[in-house]
Amino acid sequence: MGRIEEILNRLEGLYPEADTMLAHESAFELLVAVILSAQATDESVNRVTPDLFRAFPTIEAFQEAPLAEIEKRIRSIGLYRNKARHIKATADMIVTRFGGKVPGDQDDLESLPGVGRKTANVVLSVWFKQPRIAVDTHVARVAKRLRLAEWEDSPLVVERKLMKVLPRESWSATHHRMILFGRYRCTARSPDCDACVLKEFCRYPDIRP
Ligand code: SF4
């Protein structure tokens, strides 16, 4: 078995059911949750979204909501003022430009306020079931330690390198597994190397974050 295949198998063994942890019931709820999750944990996002989505059950409700009412419900999340502005402006653009539906196209998604490549990739992967690899800080760190990318690579370069070496059908699941692995085992400051099933493929601590 090749190195890549072995890495994928072991990650799958650790996280067979890899999927997003962000609670959502629609494409727009997912989009809002991903916007909120920037520099915040999924758990902290999941704590505020039930109340938020109850208060504003449709995209139009977010579009019409007073900014302060959105802010009030997401205050425990970092950068909440910016995020509230982005969510309201995104709702407005989806209604006025995209007929009230979250677009399933990368460029259209990235044209929304507060939506960058990573956020678009998560929505395309999780909701629209398109093969994507969204590179966040965890995916980048794990890829670099496992020699799938170089330390100086930007998130976009990491994404391209992963797309080149990983089988297309594994992209979405592998991205979720790398997030979980990076968040809970291969952490930035104190990775659990003694118990790591990927140790033989890893160059840490030869390179460090
Ligand atoms: S050996 Fe340590 S640094 Fe390397 S992949 Fe495993 S947990 Fe991460």
Side-chain angles (χ1 to χ4, degrees):
M1 195 181 291
R3 176 171 156 269
I4 300 288
E5 209 182 335
E6 193 63 58
I7 289 172
L8 295 184
N9 277 351
R10 293 185 195 186
L11 281 172
E12 185 177 358
L14 289 174
Y15 307 109
E17 300 294 334
D19 201 353
T20 183
M21 310 277 277
L22 293 168
H24 64 280
E25 286 183 3
S26 68
F28 187 71
E29 287 188 3
L30 174 63
L31 180 56
V32 169
V34 181
I35 290 173
L36 289 173
S37 73
Q39 295 177 49
T41 64
D42 291 354
E43 291 81 1
S44 68
V45 172
N46 288 341
R47 273 197 290 275
V48 303
T49 47
D51 177 49
L52 184 68
F53 297 149
R54 234 187 334 268
F56 309 110
T58 62
I59 301 178
E60 290 77 7
F62 273 100
Q63 180 195 24
E64 289 159 13
L67 199 52
E69 289 297 313
I70 300 177
E71 287 179 354
K72 191 169 86 182
R73 290 175 169 82
I74 61 171
R75 196 167 286 153
S76 59
I77 304 283
L79 309 173
Y80 74 95
R81 286 184 200 277
N82 263 347
K83 290 175 181 176
R85 261 195 309 111
H86 286 151
I87 290 167
K88 183 171 164 62
T90 280
D92 185 61
M93 199 184 279
I94 289 174
V95 171
T96 55
R97 194 184 291 177
F98 297 109
K101 285 203 161 136
V102 175
D105 171 86
Q106 179 107 34
D107 290 338
D108 289 344
L109 275 169
E110 286 188 40
S111 74
L112 298 169
V115 178
R117 186 175 182 85
K118 191 201 78 176
T119 299
N121 274 339
V122 174
V123 172
L124 290 170
S125 162
V126 173
W127 189 263
F128 292 99
K129 307 298 177 203
Q130 295 181 20
R132 301 281 158 161
I133 301 175
V135 176
D136 70 355
T137 175
H138 302 299
V139 174
R141 183 175 62 255
V142 170
K144 290 170 183 185
R145 286 174 172 173
L146 294 177
R147 301 171 194 269
L148 301 172
E150 295 308 315
W151 197 252
E152 61 278 7
D153 288 345
S154 67
L156 185 57
V157 173
V158 174
E159 181 185 324
R160 292 207 175 116
K161 286 186 174 175
L162 290 176
M163 287 165 77
K164 206 165 162 191
V165 298
L166 302 180
R168 192 177 169 83
E169 64 277 9
S170 79
W171 289 355
S172 291
T174 303
H175 139 252
H176 290 304
R177 289 178 181 132
M178 287 174 83
I179 289 176
L180 292 170
F181 184 66
R183 183 178 292 158
Y184 298 110
R185 296 174 193 245
C186 188
T187 58
R189 297 224 174 95
S190 54
D192 186 11
C193 301
D194 288 345
C196 181
V197 297
L198 296 174
K199 199 169 183 174
E200 70 195 86
F201 307 109
C202 178
R203 59 179 160 186
Y204 182 87
D206 290 348
I207 56 165
R208 287 179 185 276

